[in-house]
Amino acid sequence: MRDLYNKPGLVAAVIFALIIATLVFKKVTREETLIVPVEDGKAQTGNQEESQTLSEAQAMKDAESGFSLSFPMACKLGKDCWIARYVDREAGDVAADHTCGSSTQNGHKGTDIAISDLARMKAGVSVLAAAPGTVLRLRDGVEDASVREAGTDGTKGQECGNGIVIDHGQGWQTQYCHMKQGSLRVTPGDTVAAGDVLGQVGMSGLTEYPHLHFTTRLSGSLVDPFDGGKFETSCEADGQSLWADKVPYQSFVPLPAQFSTEPKDLENMWQPGPKTIPSDSEAMLLVGRGFHPQRSDIWHFTITDPDGKVVLDNKINMEKSHQVYVGFMGLEKPEGGFKPGIWKGSIHVDHGPWDDYDQTIEIEVTP
């Protein structure tokens, strides 16, 4: 049994000769304020020039006066959903989140909350109203498809995909984008309470993975819910959070590990891993995925066979930082196939001076 790793002796014809996939999302210009139709059928875009501007002091004042946000998804943060990107708080070509960290994308105008894979999306994850209000406008009917497959041309004018805008009074609005086609439960004019189900997380519009893009505005201006600061002004606002319950910040987001029998890349990394692997599979791969790994991070992969023997023990040293990353290491099929039984995988991420992360996963090999 040989490690699937770049080293002399591997036959070039083996489809797994390229073993470590170190990948980044292709940067796409995103109008993340997005377009959602108004009730009369005309379109209104959220990135229009506004006559009113929002100061950080006013945002804090409004927050103190009672406006607050509940978490807009029915999930447990850090367990089955993760914040993939925050609002970009620096102008120009520099991207920085509200902590002045790098967990955002240049020009990103909302908070992205991701789920693990397309199977989770299919099962259904509810999108919830973040505050009481009235449904102002919405759109449904946009197909759930990655722009990597469908291209960006088809998203023009509907970058938000299936989405909802809720008016909360006193100038406050929230917007919910990339929802699942056919899942919306409300209509314009409906009154909702905080926590009411609006629909489900999807992958519609200008997106590459299943998530909710959540935006907060006051008097038309984008507001970062983590400290009340403005979009592309400063990452040092030091204001008051709008979240009713604390939403912790996480600079690096490891997604659940997977086993696979084929290489993973940005095209297929959101497909769910198999529940079992046949013993005659050509390879067994342990896959690590995550948002915002940093240069010098170390990913340590181990695979243990049903007898408790460690049969793979290798590391990937990150040579540069990434918006999103998928990497794998694994084993070629041994003579006679993989031994039936329960195999275990472990991934330890040494995240530099920050926290370390550990993941474990099991897979059954069937005869």
Side-chain angles (χ1 to χ4, degrees):
M1 189 181 306
R2 292 187 295 171
D3 293 1
L4 279 176
Y5 190 71
N6 288 342
K7 61 184 181 180
L10 285 182
V11 180
V14 177
I15 63 172
F16 302 108
L18 181 58
I19 298 308
I20 303 174
T22 306
L23 303 159
V24 292
F25 270 129
K26 179 175 71 175
K27 290 186 178 179
V28 178
T29 301
R30 297 175 181 274
E31 294 298 331
E32 289 284 18
T33 45
L34 310 169
I35 301 171
V36 174
V38 293
E39 293 178 46
D40 63 5
K42 297 179 182 179
Q44 175 175 316
T45 176
N47 60 352
Q48 296 170 326
E49 292 294 329
E50 299 288 348
S51 59
Q52 294 176 288
T53 60
L54 171 67
S55 70
E56 292 161 5
Q58 172 152 6
M60 288 189 288
K61 181 179 178 181
D62 279 287
E64 291 168 356
S65 69
F67 183 75
S68 64
L69 300 169
S70 60
F71 198 66
M73 278 172 53
C75 60
K76 189 170 182 179
L77 194 61
K79 299 294 184 181
D80 57 5
C81 63
W82 300 265
I83 295 181
R85 291 188 180 94
Y86 299 85
V87 174
D88 180 18
R89 297 291 294 279
E90 289 292 331
D93 294 333
V94 179
D97 58 40
H98 64 285
T99 72
C100 298
S102 60
S103 297
T104 186
Q105 185 177 17
N106 192 33
H108 195 251
K109 299 175 181 177
T111 302
D112 285 352
I113 309 168
I115 54 178
S116 59
D117 54 43
L118 295 175
R120 183 96 169 100
M121 184 186 87
K122 183 178 180 180
V125 179
S126 293
V127 174
L128 311 176
T134 302
V135 176
L136 188 61
R137 53 189 183 270
L138 58 79
R139 175 172 51 228
D140 200 352
V142 181
E143 182 183 3
D144 293 288
S146 168
V147 294
R148 286 184 167 271
E149 299 175 1
T152 58
D153 289 345
T155 68
K156 290 180 179 178
Q158 52 185 22
E159 290 88 348
C160 178
N162 304 309
I164 297 172
V165 175
I166 297 178
D167 185 87
H168 306 286
Q170 298 183 331
W172 288 100
Q173 292 183 355
T174 54
Q175 184 167 341
Y176 311 76
C177 292
H178 310 314
M179 295 174 67
K180 187 194 295 185
Q181 183 181 19
S183 74
L184 276 63
R185 289 190 174 186
V186 295
T187 58
D190 284 355
T191 300
V192 296
D196 281 357
V197 175
L198 304 176
Q200 294 181 356
V201 176
M203 196 170 65
S204 59
L206 186 60
T207 184
E208 300 174 8
Y209 61 100
H211 74 285
L212 172 70
H213 178 88
F214 177 73
T215 305
T216 306
R217 297 186 182 92
L218 177 57
S219 300
S221 294
L222 290 158
V223 180
D224 189 338
F226 284 86
D227 66 357
K230 290 176 63 179
F231 167 69
E232 288 194 338
T233 53
S234 170
C235 62
E236 299 177 333
D238 197 27
Q240 180 173 328
S241 171
L242 298 178
W243 296 114
D245 296 315
K246 183 178 179 180
V247 177
Y249 173 80
Q250 192 171 346
S251 63
F252 166 63
V253 179
L255 295 168
Q258 297 178 342
F259 273 107
S260 179
T261 58
E262 60 183 22
K264 289 279 188 173
D265 56 26
L266 294 181
E267 300 293 337
N268 64 5
M269 67 174 288
W270 299 102
Q271 294 293 334
K275 295 181 179 180
T276 62
I277 292 178
S279 62
D280 61 353
S281 298
E282 292 299 320
M284 177 189 294
L285 306 177
L286 179 60
V287 182
R289 307 173 298 152
F291 286 95
H292 311 294
Q294 299 297 303
R295 181 178 179 273
S296 78
D297 284 0
I298 301 172
W299 291 52
H300 185 187
F301 294 71
T302 61
I303 296 178
T304 305
D305 71 12
D307 296 327
K309 180 182 178 181
V310 175
V311 293
L312 180 138
D313 189 339
N314 268 319
K315 296 179 180 179
I316 295 176
N317 295 294
M318 302 292 292
E319 297 181 353
K320 61 180 180 179
S321 300
H322 300 273
Q323 279 275 318
V324 69
Y325 170 81
V326 55
F328 56 88
M329 286 191 172
L331 303 164
E332 288 182 302
K333 181 177 70 175
E335 185 176 353
F338 293 103
K339 184 173 183 177
I342 303 299
W343 291 66
K344 297 180 180 180
S346 174
I347 300 176
H348 174 84
V349 180
D350 181 354
H351 190 47
W354 304 279
D355 294 334
D356 291 355
Y357 296 87
D358 288 288
Q359 295 182 328
T360 57
I361 184 173
E362 295 184 350
I363 191 79
E364 181 182 3
V365 172
T366 58

